[in-house]
Amino acid sequence: CTTSGATRLLWSLFGACLVAAVIGYKPVVIVHGLFDSSGAFVELLRFINQSHPGTNVSVFDLFDRSSSLQPLWKQVEGFKAAIYPIMQNAANGVHFICYSQGGLICRGILSTLPDHNVHSFISLSSPQAGQYGDTNYLKYLFPQFMKFNLFHFCYTSVGQRISICNFWKDPHHMDMYVNSSDYLALLNSERTNPNSTVWKKNFLRIKKLVLIGGPDDGVITPWQSSQFGFYDDNETVVEIKDQDLYLRDVFGLKTLNARGDLFLCSMAGVEHINWHSNYTVFNTCIEKWLV
């Protein structure tokens, strides 16, 4: 390396640090999905550091791999304890990128933390309206069950100790879902929740909600669940704006849209495991919200 080359390198590094200091990129918190760990997000970290140099990005090794099957409320409390100090040290707020099951964990944090300072909540291919489909994950976890009979297990006290059952939503057994779901039905206020008003107020502290998904996902079923669409009892997809939880604004989706702070980003050709490593997804759906 020549002296002039070294000098140029130093100046470029100084310039990147100066840009970061002047612009003041907010810290980014990434929450992983089912069977994941921090190692899955190497490419996403690289994308962020290239586009927004100097950004403080945190990915936690919590509830990794098989531990990700633990009940979602337990995971919410664990992630909340790890993330809260980052929020407290971020005067201008933080961004959430929450992938797959992690998107539901982040909703739990946002709903129950009254002083959070999350600016952009980016939900990356997450079953926000629930899950109902015979995917490879389901066959691996419950080899003796198919989608039409998993309710027999999920809607029991034992089933609710497994994370996927916390958001399993069988459109043919909605009464059982509402009465048995300890997590999603409460977050969606589909089940009577004495905290619903407070949780809505907490959730609406976010400045932007970005919902990312696509038709070739192959895991989130229906894929529109990533944007709060879901099946009716005929397994016809009802889009977000025709959903009861939107129309009644039960936890703030309609309010966010009225504020101009609800954004849907749909992209074909992306399989579930590739959302966080696809540069086009980052460039199109994520990058502009990390400021």
Side-chain angles (χ1 to χ4, degrees), residues 255-277:
T255 296
L256 284 168
N257 193 47
R259 278 176 16 190
D261 295 328
L262 173 63
F263 304 92
L264 276 56
C265 192
S266 304
M267 189 165 292
V270 184
E271 294 182 7
H272 188 69
I273 59 171
N274 295 328
W275 286 102
H276 47 69
S277 59

Side-chain angles (χ1 to χ4, degrees), residues 107-124:
R107 271 187 67 200
I109 295 170
L110 294 169
S111 298
T112 58
L113 194 56
D115 58 343
H116 77 75
N117 57 356
V118 173
H119 192 278
S120 296
F121 170 28
I122 300 168
S123 173
L124 185 58

Side-chain angles (χ1 to χ4, degrees), residues 48-98:
I48 295 170
N49 287 322
Q50 284 179 344
S51 63
H52 296 155
T55 301
N56 179 10
V57 184
S58 300
V59 194
F60 300 98
D61 278 316
L62 286 173
F63 302 101
D64 289 0
R65 300 181 179 88
S66 61
S67 292
S68 64
L69 289 169
Q70 293 191 43
L72 289 185
W73 282 123
K74 182 177 181 179
Q75 296 194 51
V76 165
E77 292 308 312
F79 277 105
K80 190 189 296 185
I83 293 168
Y84 193 57
I86 297 172
M87 293 180 178
Q88 290 179 305
N89 289 321
N92 295 319
V94 303
H95 299 305
F96 271 7
I97 302 177
C98 308

Side-chain angles (χ1 to χ4, degrees), residues 124 212 267 270 274-275 278-286:
L124 185 58
I212 303 169
M267 189 165 292
V270 184
N274 295 328
W275 286 102
N278 185 305
Y279 182 73
T280 304
V281 171
F282 177 78
N283 183 251
T284 306
C285 302
I286 298 175

Side-chain angles (χ1 to χ4, degrees), residues 6-287:
T7 302
R8 282 197 300 272
L9 178 60
L10 284 171
W11 274 110
S12 65
L13 289 171
F14 174 75
C17 292
L18 187 63
V19 167
V22 171
I23 295 176
Y25 296 122
K26 296 175 180 65
V28 174
V29 172
I30 298 173
V31 176
H32 68 72
L34 192 65
F35 299 134
D36 272 337
S37 67
S38 61
F41 297 88
V42 172
E43 287 298 295
L44 181 56
L45 266 66
R46 185 170 66 83
F47 298 155
I48 295 170
N49 287 322
Q50 284 179 344
S51 63
H52 296 155
T55 301
N56 179 10
V57 184
S58 300
V59 194
F60 300 98
D61 278 316
L62 286 173
F63 302 101
D64 289 0
R65 300 181 179 88
S66 61
S67 292
S68 64
L69 289 169
Q70 293 191 43
L72 289 185
W73 282 123
K74 182 177 181 179
Q75 296 194 51
V76 165
E77 292 308 312
F79 277 105
K80 190 189 296 185
I83 293 168
Y84 193 57
I86 297 172
M87 293 180 178
Q88 290 179 305
N89 289 321
N92 295 319
V94 303
H95 299 305
F96 271 7
I97 302 177
C98 308
Y99 169 64
S100 196
Q101 178 178 278
L104 291 172
I105 292 168
C106 288
R107 271 187 67 200
I109 295 170
L110 294 169
S111 298
T112 58
L113 194 56
D115 58 343
H116 77 75
N117 57 356
V118 173
H119 192 278
S120 296
F121 170 28
I122 300 168
S123 173
L124 185 58
S125 188
S126 175
Q128 293 291 356
Q131 173 76 5
Y132 183 71
D134 288 323
T135 66
N136 287 334
Y137 280 101
L138 182 63
K139 293 168 188 172
Y140 172 73
L141 286 170
F142 307 108
Q144 75 275 33
F145 287 102
M146 299 290 282
K147 70 177 185 180
F148 67 85
N149 63 359
L150 187 57
F151 76 93
H152 287 296
F153 174 73
C154 272
Y155 299 151
T156 65
S157 58
V158 174
Q160 287 298 303
R161 296 176 196 165
I162 298 176
S163 66
I164 190 172
C165 286
N166 292 157
F167 55 91
W168 186 257
K169 189 173 180 178
D170 189 326
H172 308 293
H173 297 91
M174 287 299 292
D175 286 347
M176 292 182 71
Y177 159 75
V178 168
N179 291 322
S180 303
S181 173
D182 290 337
Y183 193 80
L184 187 62
L186 287 174
L187 275 185
N188 287 349
S189 288
E190 293 163 305
R191 178 173 166 187
T192 301
N193 177 7
N195 299 308
S196 60
T197 301
V198 173
W199 286 11
K200 179 178 178 179
K201 181 180 179 183
N202 295 342
F203 186 73
L204 284 171
R205 288 176 64 87
I206 63 172
K207 302 296 186 284
K208 308 289 178 189
L209 174 59
V210 184
L211 303 171
I212 303 169
D216 301 305
D217 182 275
V219 170
I220 306 302
T221 314
W223 76 264
Q224 292 92 339
S225 179
S226 57
Q227 298 173 341
F228 285 101
F230 204 70
Y231 294 128
D232 62 14
D233 57 6
N234 293 316
E235 293 190 36
T236 299
V237 173
V238 179
E239 301 288 352
I240 177 174
K241 290 185 180 178
D242 295 315
Q243 287 284 341
D244 181 66
L245 55 79
Y246 177 90
L247 295 169
R248 293 194 298 118
D249 200 29
V250 291
F251 60 89
L253 289 178
K254 195 172 184 179
T255 296
L256 284 168
N257 193 47
R259 278 176 16 190
D261 295 328
L262 173 63
F263 304 92
L264 276 56
C265 192
S266 304
M267 189 165 292
V270 184
E271 294 182 7
H272 188 69
I273 59 171
N274 295 328
W275 286 102
H276 47 69
S277 59
N278 185 305
Y279 182 73
T280 304
V281 171
F282 177 78
N283 183 251
T284 306
C285 302
I286 298 175
E287 181 179 5

